[in-house]
Amino acid sequence: MIPLSHYLILSATLFSIGVLGVLIRRNAIVVFMSVEIMLNAVNISLIAFDRHLNQHDGQIFSFMVMAVAAAEVSVGLAIVIALFRNRPTVNLDEFNLMKW
């Protein structure tokens, strides 16, 4: 059996990669993928604690995180497609339409 610490290290690594992707990259699609990596890192830690504590709450929370992630991606991609129709770019630095 794999110890809990290995899952937590994997989760922390994936979450760090996701944070770096959000902070460094300027492409909207890459930022969405980085957010998905962060959410999956949270899911790994939830399932690991669920397995370690022999409770099933982590699986329920993980399912909720996946549902929220699916909704977030659908809304986010719809916004990106709507913005892409006005300006043919997905660079986040060039999206200043919502600024005053």
Side-chain angles (χ1 to χ4, degrees), residues 1 46-59:
M1 182 170 174
L46 284 172
I47 296 298
F49 278 114
D50 176 71
R51 178 83 173 173
H52 181 71
L53 298 174
N54 285 332
Q55 295 180 348
H56 300 293
D57 297 338
Q59 292 179 10

Side-chain angles (χ1 to χ4, degrees), residues 37-53:
I37 288 173
M38 287 191 289
L39 291 173
N40 283 327
V42 170
N43 283 340
I44 288 172
S45 63
L46 284 172
I47 296 298
F49 278 114
D50 176 71
R51 178 83 173 173
H52 181 71
L53 298 174

Side-chain angles (χ1 to χ4, degrees), residues 18-94:
V19 168
L20 284 176
V22 168
L23 293 177
I24 293 174
R25 300 301 300 254
R26 297 289 92 200
N27 188 337
I29 303 299
V30 174
V31 169
F32 277 126
M33 290 189 314
S34 298
V35 170
E36 290 296 321
I37 288 173
M38 287 191 289
L39 291 173
N40 283 327
V42 170
N43 283 340
I44 288 172
S45 63
L46 284 172
I47 296 298
F49 278 114
D50 176 71
R51 178 83 173 173
H52 181 71
L53 298 174
N54 285 332
Q55 295 180 348
H56 300 293
D57 297 338
Q59 292 179 10
I60 296 169
F61 284 126
S62 177
F63 182 74
M64 292 298 294
V65 168
M66 285 190 286
V68 169
E72 172 255 332
V73 166
S74 63
V75 171
L77 285 178
I79 290 171
V80 168
I81 289 171
L83 290 173
F84 188 76
R85 287 182 179 168
N86 291 330
R87 292 185 183 183
T89 182
V90 289
N91 189 353
L92 292 176
D93 290 334
E94 297 180 14

